[in-house]
Amino acid sequence: MHWTSLLGLAAGAANALESRQFGSRTTMLRFGCAQVVIDRLDPLVNPGTIPSPHVHQIVGGNGFNASMTTGDVSGTATCTTCAFSEDFSNYWTANLYFRARNGTFKRVPQLGAA
C-alpha cells in the first residue's frame, strides 16, 4: 500500500472536517486512484458473498473479486487505475450518501487522482 494514498485520504478527511466547521458546502474526499467499479462486494468482511450487504467504491488493480482472500491478490491484476503504474493493489471504501429533505439518497461522488 502506498503511504501517499493514505496521506491523501487523511488530508481529505481533515479538509472535510475543516469545511464542516467553517460552514463550507464544498467538502471533498480525495483518493489517489480512479474508480474501477462501485459494487456490493467486500472480500474481507463477506468473502465469496455476492452481493455483500453493503456498497463500496473499488479502485486500483483490475483483479478485484469477491473471493480474493488468500495469496498475492495484486498478482492477478494486469492494469491499475492508480497514479503509480506499479500499484496493482486494490483499495475499497464505503460510499457516502447524502440524504435529501424529501428522504431520498444520492451517492456523493469520490474523485480519483488528478
Side-chain angles (χ1 to χ4, degrees):
M1 174 182 258
H2 288 278
W3 288 107
T4 53
S5 294
L6 287 177
L7 292 173
L9 188 60
N15 287 339
L17 179 59
E18 183 178 342
S19 294
R20 179 166 292 285
Q21 289 174 341
F22 295 106
S24 174
R25 298 202 184 256
T26 57
T27 304
M28 176 180 65
L29 175 63
R30 181 180 288 253
F31 202 83
C33 306
Q35 173 183 304
V36 173
V37 68
I38 293 175
D39 211 339
R40 292 180 60 177
L41 290 177
D42 192 335
L44 295 179
V45 176
N46 305 103
T49 303
I50 301 174
S52 75
H54 53 279
V55 179
H56 284 108
Q57 171 172 292
I58 296 103
V59 301
N62 65 342
F64 190 84
N65 66 70
S67 60
M68 56 180 231
T69 58
T70 60
D72 181 10
V73 176
S74 64
T76 64
T78 58
C79 63
T80 184
T81 65
C82 293
F84 296 100
S85 61
E86 301 84 8
D87 185 3
F88 292 108
S89 297
N90 287 111
Y91 309 94
W92 55 100
T93 57
N95 285 312
L96 179 65
Y97 290 87
F98 171 77
R99 182 176 179 198
R101 289 183 181 159
N102 66 4
T104 61
F105 291 90
K106 180 174 178 154
R107 186 180 58 81
V108 176
Q110 295 177 0
L111 303 177

